[in-house]
Amino acid sequence: MMAKLTFILGAGASAIGGCPVMSNFMSVARRLRETGELGEHAKDFDLVSKFHAYLFHNQIKSHLDVNNIEILYSAIDLIKNLNGVGELKYEESVKAHAAFARLIAVVLEKTQRFQIHFRESRLISNNQNREYFTPVVSGPEGYSELVEYLKIYKEKYPNLSVEFVTFNYDMGLETSMLLQDLQPDSSPAFASTAPDNSEYRIHKLHGSVHWYAEDGDLTGATAELVDSLAKLKDDVSDMVSHASKEYTSISFADKLISLGKRPLIVPPTDDKVRYRALHSNVWDSAARAISESDAICVLGYSMPATDLFFKLFWSISTSNQHDLRKLYLMDIDSSVFGKYKNLVGEPIRDRVSSTFPDMKGVLRSITSDLEKSEGTFSL
């Protein structure tokens, strides 16, 4: 009997491995600016910061939490659509909008911590026993634990299908899989181009730091990957061959930008429908994955009250006769339990799990249910 488990990932899943979330993004970006770690992208921060400062200091008749990048990005988007406001001219708002996309990609990649472990080895030659250590890179904390469990599921439950729907832009999940010899596919049009050896589809609803589209394209026809994921593992191995620290970062966005491309990042705004056409295949296949799921696990998506779009997407995606047997939750905010219990229909509210504060806790719960049901999530 075939069963499907779908993970839905929010910012909290990547935050475990070092990435900022919406509420602290600007403060993290500012720290990177002050330490010089943004390099040539300091000018992107300075332009975005100009809009942030203007909006922050001109709130006499209104109040906006412009420290939250969802609100700040939305404000810049609106200023652009209004052909400029006050000192903020249209031409500058267009540049700020593009700068924000680059800044998000670069800050995520500067802060996501890929772990480096040193494997002990011995070399015996000329009657001498020599000890040396070889650096081995693994995924960021959180994703590396998730991948370890995926390997267990793959071995014990060959009939279990696992897919991912993510609102995150980073490459932490894909890279973690590749480093453990699992085959993900997160291309923008994998509905028709999935490689034969791909095992896990990753539906990236808001774009990715390794995607780009030509300026002006609203169909997604020009959406491409910056590079094949197939060669990523070798690239990472070369990157850490002489490492002597506990963490490293991996950059895709810098390569894109050096080629004159802009990372295809859907702004975290309420105007998501306008951007959906950029990669409609991904949205369609994500909805299908959710609709066919026997179990869903939400990792770090707190479902803010303002996100009506997600609630609609969930409702429409689950409007079928397929039985959702379990809904698992992981979030540092225990109040999300009430939000998701109200999200689902009353007949299945008892299938919403308690909220686990960490990755291992929720994965152990899933594993326990798989063992009890022999890999089917049957009730």
Side-chain angles (χ1 to χ4, degrees), residues 232-251:
L232 173 63
K233 188 174 180 180
D234 292 336
D235 292 345
V236 172
S237 298
D238 292 341
M239 193 182 304
V240 299
S241 59
H242 299 96
S244 60
K245 54 185 181 180
E246 295 182 2
Y247 302 102
T248 188
S249 60
I250 300 174
S251 177

Side-chain angles (χ1 to χ4, degrees), residues 46 64 73 79 180 322 334:
D46 292 343
L64 286 175
Y73 210 150
I79 290 169
Q180 293 296 322
H322 193 86
S334 60

Side-chain angles (χ1 to χ4, degrees), residues 285-303:
S285 55
R288 194 177 310 114
I290 291 172
S291 71
E292 297 171 351
S293 295
D294 299 288
I296 291 174
C297 178
V298 183
L299 301 174
Y301 186 70
S302 59
M303 193 169 56

Side-chain angles (χ1 to χ4, degrees), residues 80 92 94 135 143 160 177 200 232 272 286 303 351 356 375:
K80 177 169 68 73
E92 203 168 30
V94 172
Y143 287 137
L160 177 65
M177 287 183 178
Y200 302 95
L232 173 63
K272 297 180 180 76
M303 193 169 56
R351 302 179 191 180
F356 293 87

Side-chain angles (χ1 to χ4, degrees), residues 5 216 222 232 248 319:
L5 168 62
T222 65
L232 173 63
T248 188
S319 296

